[in-house]
Amino acid sequence: VGMVAIRTKQILFKTLHFLFFYATMVISQNSIVEQPKANQSFFAKLESRILEIDSHLCVGLDPHIKELFPGASKDELDSKTEEERCDAAFTFCKTIIDATAPHAASYKPNAAFFEALGPNLGMTTLRRVINAIPSSIPTLLDVKRGDIGSTAQAYAEACYDQSNGLNADGVTLSPLMGWDSIEPFITGSYFDKGAFILCKTSNPGSNDLLALDIDQGT
């Protein structure tokens, strides 16, 4: 019975994940009225790209420090300057982009790996990588933000702003704090952006919270 209950919850969470995704897509697409192709919403841009190349491939851009300097010892990695790490990260990502662009429906850079490159050039490098992605291919910024109010608004600006932000087309979000944590990313001036909402994630530790049996009152 316990296993059946857990399996049922897993199916429910996956269903909710789909509904969150679908609701976000509807919000993004229905807000647009005959916009020119250059100003497509995230999901319209993604759909166009999928139809164009007949591929659903989303390419992750995760510049792990060890992959930037293969074979380097920990001491050697620690001795690398921020500029050296960032240059290597950009080259690493640009090589992947150039190799996969004919087949990529989207790119998903993970902000954490760029933040870890250093406080001065890390996010600048992320913006360089996003700029290197062909404009016809949507960029989904993997940040998993999940705050509210002015903080959520600031996060949205940092992700989307063309001049002072990262100029991403969409983001990943953690909805634990509710609609307040999602709204700034897909409404107002960002109505045409996209958001992928975490629900039941695949990591084993997610069961610590997302698979709790609350019927037992614990």
Side-chain angles (χ1 to χ4, degrees):
V1 176
M3 291 300 295
V4 172
I6 290 174
R7 180 57 180 163
T8 301
K9 289 179 181 178
Q10 289 176 338
I11 295 173
L12 175 60
F13 279 123
K14 289 180 180 179
T15 303
L16 289 173
H17 193 175
F18 170 79
L19 292 175
F20 267 117
F21 167 81
Y22 180 76
T24 304
M25 182 166 62
V26 169
I27 291 172
S28 296
Q29 289 185 329
N30 286 354
S31 301
I32 296 177
V33 179
E34 297 183 356
Q35 287 191 335
K37 189 173 183 179
N39 296 322
Q40 286 180 308
S41 73
F42 172 84
F43 288 107
K45 186 176 181 180
L46 178 61
E47 182 179 11
S48 295
R49 179 63 181 171
I50 290 172
L51 293 175
E52 176 188 356
I53 64 172
D54 191 25
S55 170
H56 292 78
L57 177 65
C58 177
V59 179
L61 298 172
D62 305 339
H64 296 260
I65 189 67
K66 290 184 178 180
E67 295 180 1
L68 303 182
F69 303 99
S73 66
K74 184 179 185 305
D75 288 341
E76 289 173 330
L77 292 176
D78 291 342
S79 69
K80 298 294 183 182
T81 66
E82 182 177 355
E83 185 174 3
E84 288 174 326
R85 293 195 299 271
C86 289
D87 285 344
F90 178 78
T91 300
F92 176 86
C93 293
K94 184 65 164 60
T95 301
I96 294 175
I97 293 169
D98 292 343
T100 59
H103 314 288
S106 64
Y107 285 96
K108 185 173 69 67
N110 189 314
F113 293 106
F114 293 90
E115 293 171 359
L117 293 173
N120 299 311
L121 300 174
M123 299 311 286
T124 299
T125 303
L126 175 54
R127 177 61 191 260
R128 287 181 64 201
V129 168
I130 291 176
N131 288 346
I133 296 172
S135 59
S136 62
I137 305 177
T139 300
L140 176 66
L141 184 59
D142 192 1
V143 286
K144 299 181 180 70
R145 300 302 189 202
D147 216 312
I148 58 173
S150 59
T151 305
Q153 183 62 41
Y155 276 141
E157 293 171 3
C159 292
Y160 295 145
D161 192 85
Q162 293 184 7
S163 300
N164 301 311
L166 295 169
N167 196 28
D169 298 305
V171 293
T172 58
L173 299 174
S174 177
L176 182 63
M177 299 178 74
W179 171 244
D180 298 9
S181 63
I182 301 170
E183 182 178 14
F185 291 89
I186 53 173
T187 61
S189 58
Y190 301 133
F191 72 95
D192 57 346
K193 300 297 185 179
F196 283 74
I197 311 301
L198 299 180
C199 188
K200 177 63 174 72
T201 56
S202 59
N203 60 300
S206 69
N207 290 332
D208 295 343
L209 177 62
L210 300 178
L212 285 177
D213 187 355
I214 58 176
D215 290 339
Q216 296 180 0
T218 58

